[in-house]
Amino acid sequence: DVKVTQSSRYLVKRTGEKVFLECVQDMDHENMFWYRQDPGLGLRLIYFSYDVKMKEKGDIPEGYSVSREKKERFSLILESASTNQTSMYLCASSFLAGGPDTQYFGPGTRLTVL
Amino acid sequence: AQSVTQPDIHITVSEGASLELRCNYSYGATPYLFWYVQSPGQGLQLLLKYFSGDTLVQGIKGFEAEFKRSQSSFNLRKPSVHWSDAAEYFCAVGSGTSYGKLTFGQGTILTVHP
């Protein structure tokens, strides 16, 4: 079974703090994704990565950055957290490098920024 | 750009009743379609997917979905709902390119009455 793990289930941070969300997958998947989930808006793609050190912006990248130094690990960084970044963050991975494939999701990190 | 609409934000059914969740997509080429389910506090789990071939797709937990190109729809169905089906359901569309990116609908929350 594919396993995608996220470093924290719940996180509380203060405005202006630098926040790191970590995601690890154990199936040698090529692609990794970061989404945020808000009620009524579904999942919105923040960033994705299709190879080590390769990344592309998704639909809502503002205020976020990412890092992928190793194939299995994909980090989401909030450079200076703000209250409007309070949300559920979901990480996912998929295998095929060039096309559509099932995305496997982690359990999510619920981030609250005070 | 591709998009997905789930017209029903919230659906309530009685246990044992049939269920249909609607999904309409907008995409210029052959779409790759997915249904995911999210139980409270959990990540997303794949129910079923359509890439090509038979337009009626069987999934896990007794769910099925039918791809109708003429209606740009991919509705999810279950003949008899169980209380454990209460969850949020997401429809998603992907393309043949773009590293497996998916666009998700807003989600439909299913409540099951005993």
Side-chain angles (χ1 to χ4, degrees):
Chain A
D1 270 359
V2 175
K3 190 157 188 184
V4 180
T5 57
Q6 296 184 229
S7 51
S8 305
R9 292 298 301 271
Y10 299 93
L11 209 53
V12 180
K13 296 292 182 181
R14 297 204 175 273
T15 300
E17 280 193 79
K18 191 168 186 175
V19 181
F20 292 87
L21 303 183
E22 302 284 335
C23 175
V24 178
Q25 49 94 4
D26 67 356
M27 284 300 292
D28 202 34
H29 282 177
E30 304 291 332
N31 306 321
M32 296 188 75
F33 306 85
W34 274 107
Y35 296 90
R36 65 175 282 174
Q37 180 182 11
D38 300 288
L41 297 179
L43 277 70
R44 293 178 292 166
L45 182 64
I46 304 172
Y47 267 96
F48 70 100
S49 168
Y50 52 90
D51 200 353
V52 176
K53 298 188 187 293
M54 305 304 288
K55 60 189 179 187
E56 286 205 14
K57 295 179 180 179
D59 300 319
I60 52 164
E62 296 77 21
Y64 304 94
S65 63
V66 291
S67 173
R68 194 171 180 196
E69 296 297 319
K70 293 185 177 181
K71 191 174 187 179
E72 68 270 18
R73 188 179 298 269
F74 191 36
S75 303
L76 179 69
I77 304 157
L78 286 66
E79 296 289 342
S80 178
S82 63
T83 55
N84 63 13
Q85 292 178 310
T86 291
S87 187
M88 170 72 91
Y89 290 88
L90 292 168
C91 176
S93 70
S94 69
F95 178 61
L96 283 178
D101 195 16
T102 301
Q103 290 189 15
Y104 296 87
F105 284 82
T109 296
R110 186 165 294 282
L111 173 67
T112 301
V113 182
L114 302 176
Chain B
Q2 58 204 42
S3 66
V4 177
T5 301
Q6 293 179 244
D8 304 305
I9 297 172
H10 196 167
I11 284 183
T12 299
V13 299
S14 297
E15 191 168 16
S18 64
L19 173 70
E20 183 170 34
L21 302 183
R22 296 183 290 164
C23 172
N24 295 102
Y25 68 89
S26 173
Y27 184 64
T30 301
Y32 299 87
L33 296 160
F34 303 78
W35 274 101
Y36 283 86
V37 60
Q38 184 181 35
S39 298
Q42 304 295 317
L44 275 67
Q45 180 185 19
L46 179 72
L47 282 176
L48 48 78
K49 62 186 178 184
Y50 172 79
F51 282 7
S52 64
D54 192 346
T55 56
L56 185 62
V57 181
Q58 302 297 320
I60 63 171
K61 306 184 181 190
F63 285 92
E64 66 178 26
E66 186 170 12
F67 170 55
K68 293 185 177 180
R69 184 186 299 273
S70 61
Q71 299 177 18
S72 298
S73 70
F74 188 56
N75 294 348
L76 183 71
R77 300 193 295 248
K78 186 170 186 178
S80 178
V81 170
H82 189 263
W83 63 266
S84 60
D85 294 324
E88 189 162 16
Y89 292 79
F90 292 93
C91 181
V93 64
S95 69
T97 58
S98 301
Y99 305 105
K101 284 197 303 180
L102 297 180
T103 299
F104 286 82
Q106 303 92 324
T108 298
I109 297 171
L110 175 65
T111 298
V112 180
H113 280 165

